[in-house]
């Protein structure tokens, strides 16, 4: 005989705590990278390429500190079963999965070439390089371990997060355990994801502008103050877009869709026409540091830069897909927006 009033969902409180604790552990690991960056900056003084530039040090510390803060906050929020933590974890896990898959493919394609170039340089320098047979065996083992490690943390782990936090039972558990409406409830989750991406991009733009000012501008690389000004300006635009999209303003969507192709065109022209290594030299890098970058297959042929262009193209397609959320019927109200979950 059915019991009326019983919950029609399975409580996922235990799972929220487990995944939250895992996020807290990842956040602590990210925090531990901050002193390691400081150690690597100190050790770089002994390297042939010269000491780490202050901008690189600040950028590394700020990146890991930001990641640690985000993971710790989301982990604690998940343990407390907050609605906002579930929503933000879900949208960031999707980005984690997509970017992680692209990184894994990139590293799988480039790393063998990089390892072979390192072995070739060891032989040319006359150092005690292992025999070709041993080199091939060692390289295969190292590459396999690294690729499996990357695939686990960049693909398998985010898949687990997406599957778990995307469950209706998890959303309902957060609703019951956290009955107060949160700010993440005010916009559809796909739009929230775009807003988070623009906000994160704004932080990244300002950070790069202050630490590594090298801006691709329609066929040339700007450096110094002009590049920093362009990064700060784009960061301000991204902040506006993050707020406008979150508020479901059609003007924000149109600006984002129009600005994205302009950025893509600027990147394509610059990657195809400009000299990346010359731009690094203008930023004050030593000849040894530029030579080390030029020997890296990820920078030769702009492989890394073209990979970043693919990421921007994918995000542009995502923005176009979001159009459905910015043309509601005239009678629609915020309370009845579609896809309003979590």
């Amino acid at each position: 005989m059915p019991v009326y009033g019983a919950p029609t969902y399975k409580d996922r409180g235990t799972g929220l705590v487990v995944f939250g604790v895992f996020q807290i552990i990842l956040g602590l690991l990210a925090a531990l990278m901050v002193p390691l960056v400081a150690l690597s900056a100190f050790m770089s003084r002994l390297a042939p390429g010269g000491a780490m530039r202050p901008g690189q040090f600040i950028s590394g510390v700020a990146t890991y500190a930001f990641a640690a803060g985000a993971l710790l906050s989301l982990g604690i929020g998940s343990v407390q079963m907050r609605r906002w933590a579930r929503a933000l974890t879900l949208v960031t896990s999707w980005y984690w999965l997509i970017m992680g898959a692209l990184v894994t493919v990139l590293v799988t394609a480039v790393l063998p070439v990089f390892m072979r170039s390192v072995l070739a340089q060891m032989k040319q320098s006359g150092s005690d390089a292992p025999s070709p047979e041993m080199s091939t065996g060692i390289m295969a083992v190292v590459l396999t371990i690294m690729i499996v490690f990357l695939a686990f943390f960049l693909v398998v782990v985010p898949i687990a997060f997406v599957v778990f936090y995307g469950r209706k039972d998890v959303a309902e558990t957060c609703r019951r355990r956290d009955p107060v409406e949160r700010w993440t409830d005010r916009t559809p989750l796909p739009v929230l994801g775009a807003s988070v991406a623009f906000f994160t991009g704004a932080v990244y733009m300002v950070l790069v502008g202050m630490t590594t000012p090298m801006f691709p501008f329609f066929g040339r690389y700007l450096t110094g103050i002009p590049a920093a000004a362009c990064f700060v300006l784009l960061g301000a635009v991204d902040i506006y877009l993050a707020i406008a999209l979150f508020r479901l303003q059609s003007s924000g969507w149109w600006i984002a869709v129009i600005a994205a192709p302009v950025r893509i065109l600027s990147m394509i022209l610059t990657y195809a026409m400009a000299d990346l290594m010359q731009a690094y030299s203008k930023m004050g890098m030593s000849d040894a540091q530029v030579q080390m970058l030029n020997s890296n297959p990820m920078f030769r042929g702009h492989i890394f830069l073209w990979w970043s262009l693919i990421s921007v193209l994918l995000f542009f397609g995502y923005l176009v897909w979001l159009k459905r959320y910015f043309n509601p019927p005239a009678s629609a109200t915020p309370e009845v927006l579609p896809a309003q979950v979590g």
Side-chain angles (χ1 to χ4, degrees), residues 35-46 50-53 57:
L36 289 180
V37 172
L39 177 62
S40 63
F42 176 78
M43 297 298 295
S44 67
R45 298 180 179 180
L46 308 176
M52 180 186 295
R53 298 174 61 251
F57 172 73

Side-chain angles (χ1 to χ4, degrees), residues 116-128:
R116 284 194 293 268
S117 66
V118 170
L119 291 176
Q121 289 178 0
M122 291 175 61
K123 293 178 181 178
Q124 291 177 359
S125 63
S127 58
D128 297 331

Side-chain angles (χ1 to χ4, degrees), residues 214-231:
M214 187 177 68
F215 187 83
F217 187 77
F218 296 100
R220 57 177 296 193
Y221 285 105
L222 301 179
T223 58
I225 295 178
C230 288
F231 275 116

